[in-house]
Amino acid sequence: MGVEGIGARVARKEDKRFITGKGRYTDDMVVVGMKHAHFVRSPYAHAKIRSIDASAAEKMLGVIAVLNGKQMTEDGIGNLICGWMIHSKDGSPMNMGAWRPIAQDTVRYVGDAVAVVVADTKAQARDAAEAVVVDYEELPVVTEAVQALKDGAPQLHPEAKNNLIFDWEIGDAAATDAAIKSAAHVTKMKIVNNRLIPNPMEPRAALGIYDEAEDHYTCYTTSQNPHVARLVMSAFYNVAPENKLRVIAPDVGGGFGSKIYIYPEEIVCLWASKRTGVPVKWNSDRTEAFLADAHGRDHVTEVEMAFDADNNMTALKVDTIANLGAYMSLFSSSVPTYLYATLFSGQYKIPAIHGNVRTVYTNTAPVDAYRGAGRPEATYLLERIVETAARELNVDPAELRRQNFIREFPYQTPVIMCYDAGDYEASLEAAMQAADYKGFPARRDEAESRGKLRGIGMSCYIEACGIAPSQAVGSLGAGVGLWESAEVRVNAVGTVEVLTGSHSHGQGHETTFAQLVNDRFGLPIDQVSIVHGDTDKVQMGMGTYGSRSGAVGMSAIVKALDKVEAKAKKIAAHLLEADESDIEISGGELKVKGTDKTVPWFQMALAAYTAHNLPDGMEPGLKEGAFYDPTNFTFPAGCYICEVEVDPDTGKTEIVQFVAADDFGKIINPMIVEGQVHGGIAQGIGQALLEGTSYDPETGQLLTASYMDYTMPRADDLPSFKVSTTETACPGNPLGIKGCGEAGAIGSPPALINAITNAIGKNDLTMPATPQKVWAALQG
Amino acid sequence: MYATTYHRPASVDEAVKLASEEAKYLSGGQTLLPTMKQRLAAPSDLIDLRHIDALKGISVDGKHVRIGAACTHNEIANSDAISAVCPGFTYLAGHIGDPAVRHMGTIGGSIANNDPAADYPAALLALGATITTNSRTLSAEEFFTGMFETALEEGEMVTAVEFDAPEKSGYAKFRNPASRYAMTGVFVCKGADGSVGVGVAGAGADGAFRSPEMESALASNFAASALEGISIDPSGLMTDMHASAEYRANLIKVMGKRAVEQAG
Ligand SMILES: Cc1cc2nc3c(=O)[nH]c(=O)nc-3n(C[C@H](O)[C@H](O)[C@H](O)COP(=O)(O)OP(=O)(O)OC[C@H]3O[C@@H](n4cnc5c(N)ncnc54)[C@H](O)[C@@H]3O)c2cc1C
């Protein structure tokens, strides 16, 4: 391992600009003649729009235009879509209702856009937006998924009777029921997975620039996947053909999934720019982010797990109702189906599994992928029920898990996934060692002497990253392929640019990707630039989500590097009059093996570009591209152990120890990986302990629409994490990488809730486990 | 935020002259400015009180404490003079919000606002403090009239807070997990004459209040164990999404005991 190569803890190249406030975000972009948009948003969760009167607003100082949904329809702008087709178990396609970028007849959640004001300044746009008079006819409201399915519930979309979007299943129902029937023990639970609001540090923003002379659009936007944004905006929303639309996602301050989707606002900025003839910028404020960013999770589940007389798992049966909010967001249908139920086997050999998922519309913000996307929901229900079963069966939860681990690979689960590699015992052991699992009873007794209830809980998670291969996801309903592309350009002086379709919004790609090049050619990472986030610069890409940038994005870079290496060796062999198979590259030089004949990397590059002396028939230049489509998902897995102390007088939980042992396969930069795990665990602890989204069930008002009521994790809510890794290489990609971006958020919530319920001796507790809830559980 | 006109008067008189129905005094801005940014308040004029010398400064004369209305929470938290005579009060100030809030927010602004979850009102009630305005002096009981309500009249300005330091004082606060305001806070004090004050923050449906049950229990025995037997009636307490009245009733007792332990 070199000092900057694979495995090195290299400090992040990008951090200087971020921590000195020099990052360039969408809202930092300023163009000549730029104006500002402010949206008029619905204060009602469900209402008919009788009329919109903008006459007063239009006359206000600085106002350029007040635009509405009808005009958008007249200009042929299409509906927002969900790009993953799910069929119900009766074979019928999902019942998708129309989502207009600006509502035309009906509003369906608080925050639905009804008009947009474009004005000289932000303040003028906001003033005028207040003067737009909208006459609403209020309709009845439903916010909870279970309620929405009931007869007589308010109806959101004519396409979805009883608000049901689809009723989907996976696995073998008959085999599962039979196994449950003949089981020696069955554990049953109702599990609620709480709705979360993503809260990236940078709120969403968009700048639409229409150039009339060229009939060309440019969109700066806070996107995790600018090429997908361009594709969707041209193919479905009719904004502009792809060759006339450039999408740029510059520095992006966190996404966590919420910036995957193409939202109404960026479409409106582009359209409004053409309509008004001026560049139009919108920047979300924090309240708008709470109301109108896609939320995450929100499941209600009944689950049963069956065991034989020897405590072997024999079946798992899951029945979930998932709340998708008022409209189907871009990937919303895939989250509670293929990203969720395909992981019901967890780390365990379970011969029979059946899952049923109903998704429903409600008068709440749309729900889509949020860090982990389906996998936290699957892990939570599985690891809660395994722990509960261990308590009922009176066996050590670690031993019940160990006994049921999958140990032979590849392992075909009953729910599509085929796990390629793993060693679950290794991470369990590592975590138990680090947590001093054996020493727990003594620590509990000591805590008791201080009047504290101490508890321990674990979670053995598995997740699936790098959703692929494209052909397989296509057959499951995905509207896109899930490969990645890369181009490696060696400049004439030997420095390197890597153009990648992955997008970095906190992940540190500018460093990690450069380390790959260093490892291969020995060039300092300072001589390697990573280019991403601009559809005019980067050939094509599917973006960053689902922990795919390592497993898929870097694999594409590796393929391109292979091609560069092959050509570089040919050139060097020619220059050194040697055979290309004898050339090796290291430390910025190409050498003939076993001799002292070398040519410096930069000279080889220069030769490629002067083309004075190249092998016969070789094209000049040194630039290679590759598309990489994986053969399978990757399967990171691990074990998390959490220890808490509960104050019985107040119900307040203190996390006194948190141990993570993850198997991410090969690790390029351990420091960055640890950072991802830390952030993920913080988010998981946020979900389990602090973050609860609350809508008023009568009015549909979001009650947790600011930090006064929505509890984000703070530093003093968290302990110092003890993180470590074990490694089984991933056979599916050239680097052996599995992915690390979401594991923390996936594995931690059940570990924490298992620990609290262990401490208080009551198993019935919902997330977030606020002091009030824990106290109430202790009273009951 | 809507447009507003900013004034920086140098004296109380000058400030009072600028006051009107549409204008508002501005102290630390920690409550007022966020409200204005959300367009929930739209004062025509902002009269900044932070540059008026008469509103600044802390003085402790024997047991008598006088705190200027424009003193920040941070100044109070770090006042050795107050800490020497009433440590419960400096502890309370040091647990308001976060460092940024404490460096900007003031005692005058806090009590004029009388947020039911604010910390000072409970202490001032328990201490039997007096509140001086530009025109009169009121007892804390008279001053705090209900949730977000005070006896202040239009244009009236808090200039100082005064109290006689007790023999013992202590504060225990259970924070709202999101806002970190008091979900329930209890201030206890015991005077040299044996009188006991107990003020409760964050829990009352009508704002901070004194707890006669706890006061009488502690009057006969100023010890946490004296509160063991009492039970707090949840009626009249606040219920919101973070805490039910029953939970708050429990917290009053628990925080009461911890405050007494802290008072020693
Ligand atoms: C994140 C956050 C956390 C907080 N946590 C807590 C907490 O834990 N505990 C707590 O008690 N508070 C808390 N606060 C509130 C904080 O203490 C404020 O400083 C306080 O409520 C208002 O004081 P201010 O000086 O900022 O007043 P301003 O915001 O300037 O004014 C508040 C109101 O009082 C009026 N006013 C100001 N000064 C005077 C005066 N001298 N005479 C008459 N009227 C006046 C103003 O016109 C306005 O109506 C928190 C605030 C924030 C933002």
Side-chain angles (χ1 to χ4, degrees):
Chain A
M1 169 177 88
V3 286
E4 292 184 337
I6 291 176
R9 290 178 176 268
V10 181
R12 304 203 325 170
K13 287 168 72 175
E14 48 269 75
D15 279 348
K16 183 172 178 193
R17 74 174 188 276
F18 292 145
I19 61 188
T20 57
K22 299 281 162 49
R24 296 268 291 155
Y25 298 89
T26 297
D27 196 40
D28 295 322
M29 302 300 157
V30 174
V31 293
V32 176
M34 184 179 87
K35 306 297 178 190
H36 299 270
H38 190 90
F39 284 83
V40 178
R41 294 185 185 275
S42 170
Y44 297 108
H46 201 190
K48 282 219 162 335
I49 303 172
R50 283 212 201 96
S51 65
I52 300 174
D53 179 1
S55 53
E58 275 163 349
K59 293 192 199 93
M60 287 172 69
L61 189 67
V63 172
I64 290 159
V66 182
L67 304 175
N68 61 44
K70 197 158 155 276
Q71 294 163 324
M72 237 182 159
T73 306
E74 284 161 9
D75 288 349
I77 302 294
N79 289 336
L80 281 87
I81 53 134
C82 175
W84 195 305
M85 171 54 74
I86 298 289
H87 287 85
S88 282
K89 53 193 175 195
D90 66 6
S92 60
M94 64 192 186
N95 307 312
M96 179 162 52
W99 184 3
R100 296 299 305 160
I102 298 182
Q104 214 172 305
D105 307 312
T106 308
V107 289
R108 295 184 177 84
Y109 73 100
V110 174
D112 216 348
V114 290
V116 62
V117 179
V118 179
D120 286 341
T121 69
K122 253 172 133 162
Q124 287 168 341
R126 191 169 176 182
D127 286 346
E130 281 177 9
V132 175
V133 181
V134 186
D135 185 12
Y136 294 100
E137 177 188 331
E138 279 186 72
L139 297 171
V141 167
V142 63
T143 61
E144 286 164 24
V146 175
Q147 299 303 324
L149 276 178
K150 290 190 175 150
D151 282 338
Q155 297 290 300
L156 270 82
H157 295 273
E159 296 83 353
K161 192 166 169 288
N162 283 349
N163 301 310
L164 180 70
I165 301 170
F166 56 76
D167 183 354
W168 173 92
E169 67 175 345
I170 189 169
D172 187 335
T176 305
D177 285 340
I180 289 173
K181 222 168 166 189
S182 61
H185 179 85
V186 179
T187 296
K188 295 186 189 187
M189 288 180 89
K190 180 181 169 188
I191 302 256
V192 177
N193 206 288
N194 46 326
R195 179 186 280 241
L196 301 174
I197 303 178
N199 280 295
M201 249 200 256
E202 179 207 20
R204 288 190 294 119
L207 167 59
I209 306 164
Y210 177 67
D211 178 341
E212 200 188 346
E214 302 280 347
D215 188 28
H216 181 276
Y217 294 82
T218 304
C219 179
Y220 286 91
T221 183
T222 47
S223 174
Q224 298 178 214
N225 43 346
H227 290 87
V228 177
R230 182 177 69 154
L231 172 70
V232 172
M233 286 200 276
S234 76
F236 298 100
Y237 306 151
N238 258 339
V239 175
E242 264 183 300
N243 63 319
K244 294 189 171 184
L245 173 59
R246 176 183 184 186
V247 178
I248 304 169
D251 283 335
V252 173
F256 310 113
S258 71
K259 292 174 181 166
I260 298 172
Y261 328 113
I262 292 71
Y263 286 90
E265 290 86 357
E266 44 267 31
I267 305 170
V268 169
C269 285
L270 286 166
W271 166 72
S273 176
K274 178 166 188 184
R275 245 191 114 106
T276 58
V278 293
V280 176
K281 183 196 270 182
W282 168 77
N283 186 220
S284 167
D285 65 26
R286 194 51 75 179
T287 309
E288 280 181 296
F290 270 101
L291 294 175
D293 284 4
H295 294 179
R297 322 270 195 263
D298 206 343
H299 286 195
V300 177
T301 297
E302 304 278 349
V303 53
E304 292 176 59
M305 184 176 250
F307 294 85
D308 68 16
D310 299 322
N311 296 343
N312 296 312
M313 297 173 187
T314 57
L316 182 80
K317 185 174 168 148
V318 180
D319 185 5
T320 293
I321 302 177
N323 189 342
L324 294 193
Y327 301 103
M328 290 188 79
S329 176
L330 192 64
F331 290 115
S332 57
S333 58
S334 64
V335 177
T337 51
Y338 292 110
L339 298 182
Y340 167 62
T342 52
L343 287 168
F344 283 169
S345 202
Q347 299 188 351
Y348 313 110
K349 247 184 283 176
I350 310 177
I353 300 180
H354 182 254
N356 197 96
V357 178
R358 285 168 289 171
T359 52
V360 299
Y361 281 123
T362 63
N363 296 111
T364 60
V367 175
D368 206 325
Y370 173 59
R371 202 171 194 170
R375 290 153 287 165
E377 295 90 316
T379 303
Y380 186 68
L381 79 85
L382 207 57
E383 290 305 294
R384 282 291 288 133
I385 199 161
V386 171
E387 190 89 11
T388 303
R391 289 173 193 169
E392 290 175 0
L393 294 165
N394 215 6
V395 294
D396 185 324
E399 293 316 310
L400 185 63
R401 288 178 168 92
R402 195 196 302 270
Q403 175 183 344
N404 285 282
F405 278 156
I406 294 163
R407 290 166 192 278
E408 280 118 49
F409 296 90
Y411 177 80
Q412 177 62 53
T413 71
V415 279
I416 301 180
M417 291 298 182
C418 182
Y419 301 163
D420 52 5
D423 184 349
Y424 308 138
E425 176 113 29
S427 40
L428 177 71
E429 274 305 320
M432 285 170 73
Q433 285 288 336
D436 181 21
Y437 191 76
K438 284 205 198 83
F440 173 73
R443 296 194 292 279
R444 184 190 49 212
D445 294 347
E446 186 278 330
E448 203 180 326
S449 73
R450 289 181 280 113
K452 293 286 167 66
L453 305 172
R454 193 162 173 127
I456 194 165
M458 65 166 59
S459 151
C460 293
Y461 75 91
I462 185 162
E463 65 142 328
C465 294
I467 321 172
S470 299
Q471 197 189 3
V473 296
S475 74
L476 300 178
V480 290
L482 288 166
W483 42 263
E484 196 46 85
S485 91
E487 187 174 297
V488 174
R489 282 193 212 149
V490 180
N491 299 317
V493 293
T495 57
V496 174
E497 277 144 29
V498 177
L499 291 83
T500 169
S502 299
H503 184 275
S504 190
H505 33 276
Q507 294 85 348
H509 294 173
E510 288 168 52
T511 306
T512 314
F513 292 4
Q515 286 181 252
L516 287 187
V517 179
N518 169 276
D519 204 75
R520 188 66 81 95
F521 303 136
L523 303 175
I525 60 170
D526 189 42
Q527 290 180 19
V528 182
S529 299
I530 308 301
V531 180
H532 67 98
D534 183 342
T535 59
D536 263 15
K537 289 185 183 161
V538 177
Q539 53 294 340
M540 184 56 184
M542 296 313 295
T544 289
Y545 40 81
S547 307
R548 66 193 305 277
S549 302
V552 191
M554 283 205 274
S555 297
I557 296 173
V558 166
K559 274 187 73 177
L561 287 172
D562 289 345
K563 295 183 192 173
V564 168
E565 180 180 333
K567 186 167 178 184
K569 282 182 171 168
K570 279 202 179 80
I571 297 169
H574 182 73
L575 296 175
L576 297 167
E577 294 172 348
D579 192 87
E580 69 181 88
S581 64
D582 288 335
I583 305 289
E584 55 186 23
I585 307 179
S586 76
E589 283 185 334
L590 299 100
K591 324 184 178 162
V592 183
K593 251 183 254 170
T595 74
D596 58 1
K597 291 211 290 183
T598 67
V599 56
W601 174 265
F602 79 88
Q603 222 158 22
M604 176 282 302
L606 194 61
Y609 285 92
T610 59
H612 297 162
N613 181 19
L614 289 177
D616 272 353
M618 179 184 274
E619 282 179 20
L622 189 51
K623 179 194 96 162
E624 299 288 346
F627 281 66
Y628 173 77
D629 197 355
T631 52
N632 192 359
F633 286 73
T634 65
F635 298 97
C639 177
Y640 290 180
I641 300 182
C642 176
E643 218 165 299
V644 299
E645 281 186 10
V646 173
D647 176 349
D649 295 335
T650 62
K652 190 168 162 59
T653 299
E654 188 195 347
I655 302 170
V656 290
Q657 177 166 274
F658 200 104
V659 166
D662 294 290
D663 177 358
F664 296 137
K666 189 90 190 156
I667 288 171
I668 309 298
N669 184 325
M671 184 195 70
I672 288 180
V673 168
E674 283 166 15
Q676 289 287 318
V677 175
H678 283 210
I681 295 174
Q683 262 170 317
I685 290 174
Q687 163 158 37
L689 207 57
L690 305 163
E691 299 179 47
T693 305
S694 175
Y695 278 98
D696 183 311
E698 308 278 298
T699 63
Q701 294 297 328
L702 180 61
L703 301 175
T704 47
S706 82
Y707 297 131
M708 292 299 280
D709 292 307
Y710 190 87
T711 315
M712 293 295 286
R714 292 172 169 88
D716 66 356
D717 292 314
L718 307 169
S720 272
F721 307 128
K722 290 189 195 168
V723 304
S724 66
T725 52
T726 58
E727 183 178 326
T728 59
C730 174
N733 59 59
L735 289 165
I737 286 182
K738 297 188 180 182
C740 67
E742 295 155 294
I746 292 169
S748 53
L752 180 50
I753 298 297
N754 287 339
I756 299 175
T757 51
N758 174 253
I760 65 176
K762 311 267 174 167
N763 200 39
D764 200 9
L765 187 67
T766 57
M767 298 190 290
T770 59
Q772 151 158 269
K773 276 195 212 162
V774 174
W775 177 80
L778 278 166
Q779 309 312 302
Chain B
M1 191 183 285
Y2 296 102
T4 185
T5 307
Y6 174 84
H7 305 272
R8 182 182 283 190
S11 70
V12 171
D13 281 352
E14 200 189 322
V16 171
K17 281 204 192 88
L18 287 164
S20 72
E21 204 182 327
E22 301 296 314
K24 273 205 173 283
Y25 292 127
L26 173 70
S27 286
Q30 295 303 291
T31 296
L32 185 53
L33 294 181
T35 323
M36 289 174 66
K37 283 186 185 167
Q38 293 207 308
R39 299 192 157 197
L40 299 171
S44 60
D45 297 80
L46 281 183
I47 307 160
D48 191 345
L49 305 182
R50 288 172 309 165
H51 304 274
I52 299 174
D53 285 340
L55 301 183
K56 295 185 190 169
I58 293 170
S59 64
V60 179
D61 182 5
K63 288 274 179 188
H64 188 74
V65 178
R66 183 182 185 283
I67 305 170
C71 287
T72 63
H73 312 325
N74 187 61
E75 286 167 325
I76 296 169
N78 291 305
S79 162
D80 292 338
I82 303 179
S83 186
V85 296
C86 192
F89 200 78
T90 48
Y91 175 89
L92 175 149
H95 285 76
I96 293 175
D98 51 46
V101 169
R102 291 197 291 275
H103 276 84
M104 290 300 290
T106 66
I107 189 168
S110 174
I111 65 172
N113 193 48
N114 196 17
D115 189 313
D119 297 289
Y120 290 125
L124 299 186
L125 286 170
L127 289 163
T130 56
I131 288 140
T132 309
T133 75
N134 58 309
S135 55
R136 55 185 171 150
T137 295
L138 295 158
S139 70
E141 302 269 0
E142 291 163 334
F143 183 85
F144 299 112
T145 55
M147 195 187 256
F148 292 110
E149 276 172 21
T150 66
L152 286 173
E153 283 168 8
E154 194 191 306
E156 191 173 358
M157 181 200 310
V158 176
T159 54
V161 169
E162 292 177 67
F163 58 86
D164 287 324
E167 209 160 58
K168 290 179 173 183
S169 61
Y171 185 62
K173 172 177 183 176
F174 195 82
R175 289 168 154 177
N176 175 310
S179 73
R180 305 242 166 145
Y181 274 76
M183 198 141 87
T184 292
V186 178
F187 189 93
V188 299
C189 55
K190 184 177 177 227
D193 60 356
S195 65
V196 168
V198 177
V200 179
D206 295 322
F209 63 90
R210 282 175 66 169
S211 167
E213 304 98 297
M214 289 167 84
E215 287 180 356
S216 66
L218 292 172
S220 43
N221 175 17
F222 195 78
S225 58
L227 298 178
E228 208 63 72
I230 67 153
S231 87
I232 304 291
D233 182 1
S235 61
L237 298 184
M238 197 158 32
T239 287
D240 57 27
M241 80 177 110
H242 300 288
S244 65
E246 289 71 28
Y247 181 53
R248 282 192 161 93
N250 169 68
L251 287 178
I252 290 173
K253 188 167 152 181
V254 175
M255 293 301 122
K257 288 199 276 190
R258 290 182 188 175
V260 173
E261 274 161 14
Q262 197 199 72

